[in-house]
mmCIF file of all heavy atoms in Angstrom:
data_model
loop_
_atom_site.group_PDB
_atom_site.id
_atom_site.type_symbol
_atom_site.label_atom_id
_atom_site.label_comp_id
_atom_site.label_asym_id
_atom_site.label_seq_id
_atom_site.Cartn_x
_atom_site.Cartn_y
_atom_site.Cartn_z
ATOM 1 N N PRO A 24 0.769 -1.232 0.069
ATOM 2 C CA PRO A 24 0.067 0.001 -0.013
ATOM 3 C C PRO A 24 0.807 1.254 0.041
ATOM 4 O O PRO A 24 0.551 2.269 -0.766
ATOM 5 C CB PRO A 24 -0.840 -0.174 1.336
ATOM 6 C CG PRO A 24 -0.898 -1.564 1.590
ATOM 7 C CD PRO A 24 0.419 -2.045 1.026
ATOM 8 N N ILE A 25 1.847 1.318 0.789
ATOM 9 C CA ILE A 25 2.688 2.607 0.950
ATOM 10 C C ILE A 25 3.343 2.814 -0.429
ATOM 11 O O ILE A 25 3.684 4.009 -0.780
ATOM 12 C CB ILE A 25 3.662 2.607 2.064
ATOM 13 C CG1 ILE A 25 4.115 3.952 2.506
ATOM 14 C CG2 ILE A 25 4.854 1.708 1.714
ATOM 15 C CD1 ILE A 25 4.802 3.955 3.755
ATOM 16 N N ASP A 26 3.689 1.791 -1.186
ATOM 17 C CA ASP A 26 4.418 1.963 -2.435
ATOM 18 C C ASP A 26 3.358 2.458 -3.596
ATOM 19 O O ASP A 26 3.671 3.124 -4.558
ATOM 20 C CB ASP A 26 5.069 0.652 -2.948
ATOM 21 C CG ASP A 26 6.106 0.189 -1.866
ATOM 22 O OD1 ASP A 26 7.248 0.687 -2.079
ATOM 23 O OD2 ASP A 26 5.725 -0.610 -1.118
ATOM 24 N N ILE A 27 2.086 1.974 -3.418
ATOM 25 C CA ILE A 27 1.083 2.301 -4.467
ATOM 26 C C ILE A 27 0.345 3.528 -4.166
ATOM 27 O O ILE A 27 0.131 4.269 -5.066
ATOM 28 C CB ILE A 27 0.113 1.035 -4.592
ATOM 29 C CG1 ILE A 27 0.978 -0.180 -4.858
ATOM 30 C CG2 ILE A 27 -0.892 1.328 -5.606
ATOM 31 C CD1 ILE A 27 0.058 -1.483 -4.742
ATOM 32 N N VAL A 28 -0.094 3.744 -3.005
ATOM 33 C CA VAL A 28 -0.959 4.878 -2.637
ATOM 34 C C VAL A 28 -0.417 5.721 -1.474
ATOM 35 O O VAL A 28 -1.010 6.642 -0.904
ATOM 36 C CB VAL A 28 -2.371 4.525 -2.390
ATOM 37 C CG1 VAL A 28 -3.023 4.032 -3.584
ATOM 38 C CG2 VAL A 28 -2.481 3.515 -1.128
ATOM 39 N N GLY A 29 0.822 5.518 -1.143
ATOM 40 C CA GLY A 29 1.436 6.239 0.026
ATOM 41 C C GLY A 29 1.613 7.683 -0.332
ATOM 42 O O GLY A 29 1.897 8.420 0.745
ATOM 43 N N ASP A 30 1.506 8.126 -1.549
ATOM 44 C CA ASP A 30 1.590 9.600 -1.848
ATOM 45 C C ASP A 30 0.226 10.276 -1.627
ATOM 46 O O ASP A 30 0.046 11.491 -1.926
ATOM 47 C CB ASP A 30 2.085 9.714 -3.287
ATOM 48 C CG ASP A 30 1.175 9.111 -4.327
ATOM 49 O OD1 ASP A 30 0.132 8.488 -3.881
ATOM 50 O OD2 ASP A 30 1.488 9.241 -5.528
ATOM 51 N N GLY A 31 -0.791 9.575 -1.223
ATOM 52 C CA GLY A 31 -2.062 10.127 -0.943
ATOM 53 C C GLY A 31 -2.893 10.215 -2.180
ATOM 54 O O GLY A 31 -4.123 10.641 -2.143
ATOM 55 N N LYS A 32 -2.318 9.746 -3.375
ATOM 56 C CA LYS A 32 -3.112 9.807 -4.637
ATOM 57 C C LYS A 32 -3.885 8.442 -4.830
ATOM 58 O O LYS A 32 -3.177 7.450 -4.933
ATOM 59 C CB LYS A 32 -2.388 10.142 -5.761
ATOM 60 C CG LYS A 32 -1.708 11.627 -5.649
ATOM 61 C CD LYS A 32 -0.903 11.914 -6.870
ATOM 62 C CE LYS A 32 -0.208 13.340 -6.819
ATOM 63 N NZ LYS A 32 -1.271 14.440 -6.461
ATOM 64 N N GLY A 33 -5.143 8.463 -4.795
ATOM 65 C CA GLY A 33 -5.938 7.150 -4.998
ATOM 66 C C GLY A 33 -6.164 6.322 -3.801
ATOM 67 O O GLY A 33 -6.917 5.412 -3.812
ATOM 68 N N GLY A 34 -5.617 6.895 -2.641
ATOM 69 C CA GLY A 34 -5.918 6.217 -1.527
ATOM 70 C C GLY A 34 -5.364 6.856 -0.245
ATOM 71 O O GLY A 34 -4.761 7.914 -0.431
ATOM 72 N N ALA A 35 -5.579 6.304 0.910
ATOM 73 C CA ALA A 35 -5.174 6.845 2.157
ATOM 74 C C ALA A 35 -4.479 5.769 3.061
ATOM 75 O O ALA A 35 -4.996 4.642 3.084
ATOM 76 C CB ALA A 35 -6.237 7.578 2.900
ATOM 77 N N VAL A 36 -3.354 6.015 3.609
ATOM 78 C CA VAL A 36 -2.697 5.083 4.398
ATOM 79 C C VAL A 36 -2.429 5.726 5.843
ATOM 80 O O VAL A 36 -2.169 6.862 6.022
ATOM 81 C CB VAL A 36 -1.291 4.512 3.919
ATOM 82 C CG1 VAL A 36 -1.513 3.808 2.649
ATOM 83 C CG2 VAL A 36 -0.320 5.683 3.790
ATOM 84 N N SER A 37 -2.632 4.780 6.920
ATOM 85 C CA SER A 37 -2.444 5.315 8.196
ATOM 86 C C SER A 37 -2.479 4.176 9.217
ATOM 87 O O SER A 37 -2.995 3.100 8.903
ATOM 88 C CB SER A 37 -3.668 6.136 8.631
ATOM 89 O OG SER A 37 -3.630 6.613 10.050
ATOM 90 N N GLU A 38 -1.745 4.420 10.254
ATOM 91 C CA GLU A 38 -1.750 3.315 11.330
ATOM 92 C C GLU A 38 -3.135 3.290 12.005
ATOM 93 O O GLU A 38 -3.456 2.282 12.686
ATOM 94 C CB GLU A 38 -0.698 3.664 12.406
ATOM 95 C CG GLU A 38 0.636 3.231 11.963
ATOM 96 C CD GLU A 38 0.938 1.771 11.685
ATOM 97 O OE1 GLU A 38 0.096 0.951 12.195
ATOM 98 O OE2 GLU A 38 1.853 1.464 10.958
ATOM 99 N N ASP A 39 -3.919 4.241 11.784
ATOM 100 C CA ASP A 39 -5.504 4.226 12.233
ATOM 101 C C ASP A 39 -6.205 3.901 11.058
ATOM 102 O O ASP A 39 -6.516 4.680 10.129
ATOM 103 C CB ASP A 39 -5.688 5.600 12.807
ATOM 104 C CG ASP A 39 -7.230 5.596 13.328
ATOM 105 O OD1 ASP A 39 -8.017 4.771 12.847
ATOM 106 O OD2 ASP A 39 -7.460 6.541 14.199
ATOM 107 N N LEU A 40 -6.533 2.529 10.928
ATOM 108 C CA LEU A 40 -7.137 2.205 9.692
ATOM 109 C C LEU A 40 -8.505 2.820 9.455
ATOM 110 O O LEU A 40 -9.003 2.976 8.363
ATOM 111 C CB LEU A 40 -7.247 0.576 9.725
ATOM 112 C CG LEU A 40 -7.671 -0.030 8.400
ATOM 113 C CD1 LEU A 40 -6.778 0.258 7.283
ATOM 114 C CD2 LEU A 40 -7.768 -1.570 8.512
ATOM 115 N N ARG A 41 -9.126 3.039 10.586
ATOM 116 C CA ARG A 41 -10.524 3.712 10.505
ATOM 117 C C ARG A 41 -10.309 5.005 9.926
ATOM 118 O O ARG A 41 -11.107 5.482 8.970
ATOM 119 C CB ARG A 41 -11.193 3.765 11.829
ATOM 120 C CG ARG A 41 -12.550 4.511 11.856
ATOM 121 C CD ARG A 41 -13.086 4.570 13.265
ATOM 122 N NE ARG A 41 -14.451 5.153 13.216
ATOM 123 C CZ ARG A 41 -14.692 6.447 13.353
ATOM 124 N NH1 ARG A 41 -13.596 7.305 13.455
ATOM 125 N NH2 ARG A 41 -15.763 6.956 13.288
ATOM 126 N N GLN A 42 -9.352 5.793 10.399
ATOM 127 C CA GLN A 42 -9.144 7.177 9.820
ATOM 128 C C GLN A 42 -8.794 7.151 8.258
ATOM 129 O O GLN A 42 -9.362 7.884 7.517
ATOM 130 C CB GLN A 42 -7.956 7.836 10.493
ATOM 131 C CG GLN A 42 -7.581 9.219 10.166
ATOM 132 C CD GLN A 42 -6.424 9.726 10.823
ATOM 133 O OE1 GLN A 42 -5.202 9.235 10.601
ATOM 134 N NE2 GLN A 42 -6.587 10.738 11.592
ATOM 135 N N ALA A 43 -8.017 6.045 7.887
ATOM 136 C CA ALA A 43 -7.679 5.918 6.495
ATOM 137 C C ALA A 43 -8.985 5.613 5.677
ATOM 138 O O ALA A 43 -9.158 6.170 4.587
ATOM 139 C CB ALA A 43 -6.671 4.855 6.319
ATOM 140 N N ALA A 44 -9.864 4.732 6.261
ATOM 141 C CA ALA A 44 -10.972 4.369 5.526
ATOM 142 C C ALA A 44 -11.988 5.501 5.319
ATOM 143 O O ALA A 44 -12.540 5.741 4.313
ATOM 144 C CB ALA A 44 -11.712 3.191 6.258
ATOM 145 N N LEU A 45 -12.115 6.285 6.438
ATOM 146 C CA LEU A 45 -12.985 7.510 6.258
ATOM 147 C C LEU A 45 -12.416 8.556 5.394
ATOM 148 O O LEU A 45 -13.069 9.307 4.590
ATOM 149 C CB LEU A 45 -13.212 7.991 7.709
ATOM 150 C CG LEU A 45 -14.089 7.213 8.661
ATOM 151 C CD1 LEU A 45 -14.085 7.770 10.034
ATOM 152 C CD2 LEU A 45 -15.421 6.878 8.013
ATOM 153 N N ALA A 46 -11.071 8.738 5.334
ATOM 154 C CA ALA A 46 -10.414 9.706 4.500
ATOM 155 C C ALA A 46 -10.568 9.249 3.014
ATOM 156 O O ALA A 46 -10.740 10.135 2.136
ATOM 157 C CB ALA A 46 -8.903 9.880 4.843
ATOM 158 N N ALA A 47 -10.564 8.011 2.789
ATOM 159 C CA ALA A 47 -10.566 7.497 1.399
ATOM 160 C C ALA A 47 -12.041 7.723 0.767
ATOM 161 O O ALA A 47 -12.161 7.805 -0.445
ATOM 162 C CB ALA A 47 -10.355 5.942 1.349
ATOM 163 N N LEU A 48 -13.075 7.931 1.585
ATOM 164 C CA LEU A 48 -14.358 8.211 1.158
ATOM 165 C C LEU A 48 -14.336 9.558 0.343
ATOM 166 O O LEU A 48 -15.240 9.828 -0.514
ATOM 167 C CB LEU A 48 -15.388 8.302 2.297
ATOM 168 C CG LEU A 48 -15.881 7.114 2.880
ATOM 169 C CD1 LEU A 48 -16.781 7.368 4.136
ATOM 170 C CD2 LEU A 48 -16.832 6.491 1.884
ATOM 171 N N HIS A 49 -13.412 10.459 0.623
ATOM 172 C CA HIS A 49 -13.445 11.790 -0.092
ATOM 173 C C HIS A 49 -12.360 11.871 -1.190
ATOM 174 O O HIS A 49 -12.146 12.903 -1.609
ATOM 175 C CB HIS A 49 -13.167 12.815 1.061
ATOM 176 C CG HIS A 49 -14.115 12.813 2.124
ATOM 177 N ND1 HIS A 49 -15.392 13.178 2.119
ATOM 178 C CD2 HIS A 49 -13.892 12.334 3.450
ATOM 179 C CE1 HIS A 49 -15.995 13.002 3.229
ATOM 180 N NE2 HIS A 49 -15.152 12.502 4.084
ATOM 181 N N ILE A 50 -11.778 10.749 -1.531
ATOM 182 C CA ILE A 50 -10.755 10.829 -2.644
ATOM 183 C C ILE A 50 -11.531 10.729 -3.838
ATOM 184 O O ILE A 50 -12.397 9.952 -4.092
ATOM 185 C CB ILE A 50 -9.729 9.654 -2.429
ATOM 186 C CG1 ILE A 50 -8.808 10.008 -1.243
ATOM 187 C CG2 ILE A 50 -8.875 9.431 -3.652
ATOM 188 C CD1 ILE A 50 -7.962 8.954 -0.902
ATOM 189 N N ASP A 51 -10.945 11.511 -4.944
ATOM 190 C CA ASP A 51 -11.579 11.545 -6.225
ATOM 191 C C ASP A 51 -11.353 10.092 -6.848
ATOM 192 O O ASP A 51 -10.228 9.585 -6.923
ATOM 193 C CB ASP A 51 -10.805 12.522 -7.095
ATOM 194 C CG ASP A 51 -11.323 12.783 -8.469
ATOM 195 O OD1 ASP A 51 -12.264 11.964 -8.884
ATOM 196 O OD2 ASP A 51 -10.887 13.671 -9.159
ATOM 197 N N ARG A 52 -12.461 9.539 -7.345
ATOM 198 C CA ARG A 52 -12.442 8.212 -7.958
ATOM 199 C C ARG A 52 -11.656 8.212 -9.331
ATOM 200 O O ARG A 52 -10.960 7.218 -9.663
ATOM 201 C CB ARG A 52 -13.917 7.652 -8.190
ATOM 202 C CG ARG A 52 -14.566 7.483 -6.839
ATOM 203 C CD ARG A 52 -15.937 6.897 -7.120
ATOM 204 N NE ARG A 52 -15.969 5.472 -7.666
ATOM 205 C CZ ARG A 52 -15.923 4.465 -6.800
ATOM 206 N NH1 ARG A 52 -15.915 4.596 -5.544
ATOM 207 N NH2 ARG A 52 -15.957 3.270 -7.430
ATOM 208 N N ALA A 53 -11.697 9.337 -10.037
ATOM 209 C CA ALA A 53 -10.896 9.524 -11.231
ATOM 210 C C ALA A 53 -9.356 9.307 -10.824
ATOM 211 O O ALA A 53 -8.532 8.906 -11.716
ATOM 212 C CB ALA A 53 -11.239 10.685 -11.910
ATOM 213 N N GLU A 54 -9.042 9.949 -9.701
ATOM 214 C CA GLU A 54 -7.648 9.975 -9.264
ATOM 215 C C GLU A 54 -7.176 8.546 -9.088
ATOM 216 O O GLU A 54 -5.947 8.014 -9.415
ATOM 217 C CB GLU A 54 -7.400 10.700 -8.019
ATOM 218 C CG GLU A 54 -6.076 10.881 -7.474
ATOM 219 C CD GLU A 54 -5.927 11.773 -6.214
ATOM 220 O OE1 GLU A 54 -5.955 13.073 -6.494
ATOM 221 O OE2 GLU A 54 -6.117 11.257 -5.132
ATOM 222 N N ALA A 55 -8.114 7.745 -8.502
ATOM 223 C CA ALA A 55 -7.777 6.254 -8.197
ATOM 224 C C ALA A 55 -7.512 5.549 -9.583
ATOM 225 O O ALA A 55 -6.595 4.762 -9.769
ATOM 226 C CB ALA A 55 -8.934 5.614 -7.521
ATOM 227 N N ARG A 56 -8.490 5.720 -10.500
ATOM 228 C CA ARG A 56 -8.363 5.223 -11.776
ATOM 229 C C ARG A 56 -6.937 5.474 -12.480
ATOM 230 O O ARG A 56 -6.245 4.683 -13.036
ATOM 231 C CB ARG A 56 -9.438 5.567 -12.728
ATOM 232 C CG ARG A 56 -9.385 5.188 -14.203
ATOM 233 C CD ARG A 56 -9.505 3.693 -14.431
ATOM 234 N NE ARG A 56 -9.564 3.437 -15.899
ATOM 235 C CZ ARG A 56 -9.730 2.169 -16.390
ATOM 236 N NH1 ARG A 56 -9.969 1.142 -15.611
ATOM 237 N NH2 ARG A 56 -9.765 2.113 -17.671
ATOM 238 N N ALA A 57 -6.703 6.781 -12.402
ATOM 239 C CA ALA A 57 -5.468 7.208 -13.004
ATOM 240 C C ALA A 57 -4.212 6.545 -12.312
ATOM 241 O O ALA A 57 -3.181 6.241 -13.132
ATOM 242 C CB ALA A 57 -5.320 8.714 -12.842
ATOM 243 N N LYS A 58 -4.171 6.374 -11.108
ATOM 244 C CA LYS A 58 -3.094 5.646 -10.458
ATOM 245 C C LYS A 58 -2.925 4.263 -10.977
ATOM 246 O O LYS A 58 -1.803 3.839 -11.254
ATOM 247 C CB LYS A 58 -3.289 5.597 -8.902
ATOM 248 C CG LYS A 58 -2.279 4.870 -8.081
ATOM 249 C CD LYS A 58 -0.903 5.414 -8.232
ATOM 250 C CE LYS A 58 -0.710 6.735 -7.573
ATOM 251 N NZ LYS A 58 -0.608 6.776 -6.057
ATOM 252 N N ALA A 59 -4.028 3.610 -11.169
ATOM 253 C CA ALA A 59 -3.867 2.178 -11.668
ATOM 254 C C ALA A 59 -3.340 2.102 -13.102
ATOM 255 O O ALA A 59 -2.706 1.103 -13.446
ATOM 256 C CB ALA A 59 -5.339 1.418 -11.639
ATOM 257 N N GLN A 60 -3.579 3.105 -13.853
ATOM 258 C CA GLN A 60 -3.110 3.172 -15.272
ATOM 259 C C GLN A 60 -1.537 3.206 -15.350
ATOM 260 O O GLN A 60 -1.060 2.887 -16.462
ATOM 261 C CB GLN A 60 -3.771 4.156 -16.053
ATOM 262 C CG GLN A 60 -5.289 3.940 -16.233
ATOM 263 C CD GLN A 60 -6.049 5.006 -16.911
ATOM 264 O OE1 GLN A 60 -5.764 6.218 -16.709
ATOM 265 N NE2 GLN A 60 -6.947 4.766 -17.804
#
C-alpha cells in the first residue's frame, strides 16, 4: 500500500485504519483510476 498509494493519490494510508477508510471516502475516484493506469 505505501508503495502504491502512499503519496495520498488514489488512497489513504494510516496506522489508524478507520481514519484511512473515512479519508478514502473523499478521494476522487478518477484519481484512483489514473493511479492504476
Side-chain angles (χ1 to χ4, degrees):
I25 200 167
D26 299 275
I27 302 169
V28 295
D30 59 0
K32 296 184 184 300
V36 296
S37 173
E38 284 296 339
D39 184 335
L40 190 59
R41 178 178 182 272
Q42 182 184 65
L45 294 176
L48 280 171
H49 304 289
I50 289 175
D51 185 353
R52 295 181 68 88
E54 185 179 272
R56 171 72 174 181
K58 176 61 72 71
Q60 289 173 320

